[in-house]
Amino acid sequence: MAFDRRTFLGTTAATGAAVALAGATSTPAAAQQQDVKGPAPRTYAFTVMGTTDLHGNVFNWDYFTDKEFDDKAHNDVGLAKISTLVNQVRAEKGRRNTLLIDAGDTIQGTQLSYYYAKVDPITARRGPVHPMAQAMNAIGYDAAALGNHEFNYGIPVLRKFEEQCDFPLLGANALDAKTLRPAFAPYSMHRLRTPCGRDVKVAVLGLTNPGIAIWDKANVQGKMTFPGLEEQAAKYVPKLRSMGADVVIVSAHSGSSGTSSYGDQLPHIENAAGLVAEQVPGIDAILVGHAHTEIPEYRVKNKATGKDVVLSEPLKWGQRLTLFDFELTWAKGRWSVAKVAAKVLNSNTVAEDPKITRLLSDEHRKVVAYVNQVIGTSTQAMSSADGPVKDVAIIDLINHVQAETVKAALAGTEWAALPVLSQASCFSRTAAIPAGQVTIKDAAGLYPFENTMEARLLTGAQLKDYLEYSARYFVRTAPGDAVDPAKLTNAESIPDYNYDAVYGLAYDIDIAQPAGSRITGLTFQGKAVDPAAQFVFAVNNYRASGGGNFPHVPQAKQLWSNSDEIRNTIIQWVKAKGTIDPAQFASVDWRLTRAGVPVF
């Protein structure tokens, strides 16, 4: 039956549970019949499909380039593709023998999702229905866990999105800060009717990322708290079993590695899905999210029971659909899980579902028109292609805008006389500013994340530490060794967004040296940086809150902060200036060297 929000919210307030009935019949093929040798075990098979990290992708479209999405592996993205795969699985398995769930990060990531959070917000009076809610309702999702990016636009936008969904948003470890009661439904319960024995009861427990308390501190502090995944799973899984759940599935917006990329700043483990599987008995499978990696099937043995827990993480943005195939047997008056297997389907093997593309064609056209608005001109073309290994003008543009914004914000304060530096990463190696007309999509493509800006107070010594930490990103390369730019970066699997160039200083990075001893010739305005000198550091809120575990910044004195996205700050700067002229801000202030000899 359709999900009834009023009934659900009342049930949540009373019991913290949501109940959804999934069909009245199933296909006869799901059960084995008796044979001439006597009664065979009665069995039932069903499939749970899963997506994660959809990040606002409905269409196979890149709004930052305004063309069909493509990458080196020729992946496709979007819920319209996922819908086609889901339809195929339902046709094969029987609609009533399937469930469809998600592991979070749904409403942030594309200009489509940004438009309906900021430009034509769903929270406005008589506002629109969020495109992700429309698409997921039409496809028929049964439940979705909360991701950390659900909180990027504030709790009112998230609550409105929740209201617009025909399925529950789950978060057993998203608690009201005052009452410590669940702020969202912790779990949902689903019945699958079988041709033999009683119905199969499938519980879906939703867990989100405790890093929300840091990354979206401005939106959640004093309102919500986020305990660890393991402790909340240990609380709820026995409860679900006592309620008669035959199968327990966890939808966790948390990677499987057991690590955190934020060091001591994060109060609980960020990527805890594997630890949940290992330490909490009673879980059959975990749909993993957050890490943006593809894991078709990963088995973790539970320490208490010795049984395998099957984990799977489909690739982000709707590039993959996970299938958990369950086989159950009926014995001694109960169903038990006999076998679980997982795999992923590739969305580039199918066409978009015309039902979904028709449903949201108007929204798509509005956003395409929005991102193609001309906001200024540029005197020359700029590209980020070499950004990871060279000081390029397009990254200087980000830093220049940030530094100017902070200088203006601190004018007239006690900090106004201090020099302002800035950090930025090469978020996309395909970002570009063309010569001539510049559009919103061009400027927005420089900054695909919803980060906001802060100003922190750092010393020269702390900045040196910061740069040394950042320079771990480069693969150690001896003098005389062949140089392949494609193989110089991402040492220790450090992503591009965790390598920062600092604007306002000049320095060399000696990649022949071990990490921690690479920064040489560090100067400010031609003079060696005094370790005791004070600088204002323009930094994004992700880094300021501990993202990437960079040293000093999270503990540094905050001088200023802003609630506007850096992306929007760049757009407004271009509008105000009218013309982007790299000659006014771009210079080569850092370079890669080996024993003092430039690499390039």
Side-chain angles (χ1 to χ4, degrees):
M1 66 181 180
F3 179 75
D4 187 298
R5 179 155 302 280
R6 291 185 179 86
T7 301
F8 168 72
L9 290 174
T11 304
T12 303
T15 65
V19 178
L21 301 181
T25 61
S26 60
T27 56
Q32 293 183 0
Q33 305 300 320
Q34 295 183 1
D35 59 27
V36 294
K37 296 180 181 179
R42 289 183 289 182
T43 67
Y44 175 68
F46 72 96
T47 297
V48 176
M49 297 172 281
T51 55
T52 191
D53 296 280
L54 292 168
H55 284 288
N57 285 279
V58 173
F59 299 88
N60 187 43
W61 195 260
D62 184 346
Y63 293 96
F64 293 124
T65 60
D66 196 25
K67 59 185 180 182
E68 185 174 326
F69 177 89
D70 196 20
D71 62 12
K72 291 180 180 179
H74 301 298
N75 288 302
D76 288 344
V77 301
L79 279 169
K81 292 266 185 173
I82 290 294
S83 183
T84 301
L85 291 175
V86 167
N87 291 338
Q88 291 179 352
V89 173
R90 286 171 174 165
E92 177 189 351
K93 308 286 185 179
R95 174 67 175 86
R96 302 180 188 276
N97 300 318
T98 64
L99 294 171
L100 175 60
I101 64 176
D102 183 80
D105 275 6
T106 304
I107 61 172
Q108 174 277 333
T110 64
Q111 287 292 282
L112 180 71
S113 54
Y114 178 82
Y115 187 89
Y116 287 99
K118 292 288 190 177
V119 181
D120 186 11
I122 60 174
T123 50
R125 187 179 179 185
R126 298 179 182 175
V129 177
H130 199 289
M132 295 301 287
Q134 291 191 59
M136 294 173 82
N137 290 343
I139 295 168
Y141 273 77
D142 294 287
L146 293 163
N148 54 284
H149 283 287
E150 260 64 84
F151 294 84
N152 285 172
Y153 297 118
I155 292 173
V157 169
L158 175 54
R159 287 299 190 192
K160 189 64 178 180
F161 175 70
E162 179 189 27
E163 179 185 316
Q164 293 177 342
C165 291
D166 294 339
F167 51 90
L169 300 184
L170 307 178
N173 60 329
L175 309 181
D176 182 277
K178 295 179 180 178
T179 66
L180 298 183
R181 291 174 59 83
F184 296 84
Y187 58 86
S188 57
M189 194 76 79
H190 310 265
R191 290 182 181 271
L192 300 175
R193 188 154 297 174
T194 73
C196 53
R198 64 170 171 80
D199 296 348
V200 170
K201 293 179 71 174
V202 181
V204 179
L205 177 66
L207 297 170
T208 192
N209 205 290
I212 295 165
I214 293 174
W215 309 324
D216 271 298
K217 181 179 179 180
N219 290 326
V220 301
Q221 188 174 33
K223 300 173 183 176
M224 293 186 192
T225 185
F226 302 88
L229 284 83
E230 298 154 82
E231 64 182 84
Q232 292 303 102
K235 173 182 177 180
Y236 278 102
V237 171
K239 178 177 182 178
L240 294 171
R241 289 294 183 182
S242 71
M243 292 170 61
D246 302 297
V247 179
V248 173
I249 300 166
V250 173
S251 183
H253 193 75
S254 180
S256 61
S257 65
T259 61
S260 290
S261 57
Y262 308 91
D264 295 338
Q265 292 298 305
L266 195 60
H268 301 282
I269 293 175
E270 176 188 0
N271 296 304
L275 295 174
V276 171
E278 180 183 77
Q279 298 181 19
V280 180
I283 299 169
D284 297 298
I286 300 180
L287 177 66
V288 178
H290 183 62
H292 288 204
T293 57
E294 181 177 344
I295 305 174
E297 183 183 86
Y298 174 46
R299 292 178 177 268
V300 175
K301 193 171 295 295
N302 183 267
K303 286 184 175 181
T305 65
K307 293 181 179 180
D308 280 354
V309 180
V310 177
L311 286 70
S312 181
E313 181 176 5
L315 199 57
K316 64 184 185 298
W317 305 346
Q319 295 179 43
R320 304 288 186 273
L321 176 71
T322 278
L323 302 188
F324 291 105
D325 290 315
F326 290 85
E327 292 183 13
L328 277 63
T329 57
W330 175 266
K332 298 180 180 179
R334 63 183 294 270
W335 288 107
S336 60
V337 175
K339 183 180 178 182
V340 187
K343 63 181 179 181
V344 295
L345 303 181
N346 194 329
S347 65
N348 73 3
T349 62
V350 297
E352 293 184 315
D353 184 348
K355 173 185 173 182
I356 304 302
T357 56
R358 283 196 303 266
L359 177 68
L360 291 162
S361 59
D362 287 346
E363 288 84 348
H364 178 65
R365 281 195 293 268
K366 282 183 182 179
V367 176
V368 167
Y370 164 73
V371 301
N372 280 289
Q373 290 179 51
V374 175
I375 56 174
T377 61
S378 179
T379 61
Q380 65 184 66
M382 294 179 283
S383 168
S384 66
D386 292 331
V389 295
K390 295 180 182 179
D391 188 348
V392 295
I394 202 167
I395 305 300
D396 285 347
L397 173 60
I398 298 172
N399 272 319
H400 181 69
V401 171
Q402 293 181 165
E404 270 204 356
T405 303
V406 169
K407 284 178 184 177
L410 295 180
T413 72
E414 62 182 300
W415 315 108
L418 290 180
V420 178
L421 311 177
S422 178
Q423 61 78 223
S425 303
C426 182
F427 295 117
S428 168
R429 299 191 185 200
T430 59
I433 296 291
Q437 290 187 334
V438 177
T439 63
I440 284 178
K441 74 173 186 291
D442 299 324
L446 302 183
Y447 221 107
F449 298 104
E450 309 301 322
N451 296 342
T452 58
M453 203 185 330
E454 298 188 17
R456 299 284 178 125
L457 185 65
L458 293 182
T459 66
Q462 290 173 328
L463 285 162
K464 173 74 158 37
D465 290 345
Y466 189 98
L467 288 169
E468 288 287 9
Y469 184 85
S470 185
R472 300 175 309 125
Y473 169 77
F474 296 104
V475 175
R476 190 176 184 182
T477 309
D481 284 0
V483 172
D484 180 354
K487 296 179 180 178
L488 281 182
T489 63
N490 307 104
E492 303 176 37
S493 300
I494 297 170
D496 290 351
Y497 62 77
N498 274 341
Y499 168 65
D500 286 355
V502 172
Y503 179 80
L505 299 176
Y507 55 96
D508 290 346
I509 303 172
D510 190 338
I511 59 174
Q513 299 302 316
S517 302
R518 291 179 169 177
I519 303 301
T520 62
L522 181 61
T523 61
F524 173 70
Q525 294 183 344
K527 297 180 181 180
V529 170
D530 180 352
Q534 289 187 317
F535 296 86
V536 176
F537 196 40
V539 62
N540 67 53
N541 69 304
Y542 172 77
R543 194 69 81 231
S545 64
N549 200 25
F550 277 64
H552 305 305
V553 174
Q555 299 83 19
K557 182 179 179 65
Q558 184 190 79
L559 308 181
W560 172 83
S561 67
N562 187 18
S563 61
D564 201 15
E565 294 90 355
I566 294 171
R567 172 198 300 151
N568 197 47
T569 300
I570 295 170
I571 291 169
Q572 296 306 318
W573 185 90
V574 175
K575 284 183 176 179
K577 296 292 184 182
T579 300
I580 303 171
D581 183 2
Q584 296 180 357
F585 58 80
S587 60
V588 178
D589 295 321
W590 68 268
R591 60 182 183 172
L592 301 183
T593 64
R594 291 183 294 181
V597 178
V599 173
F600 301 107

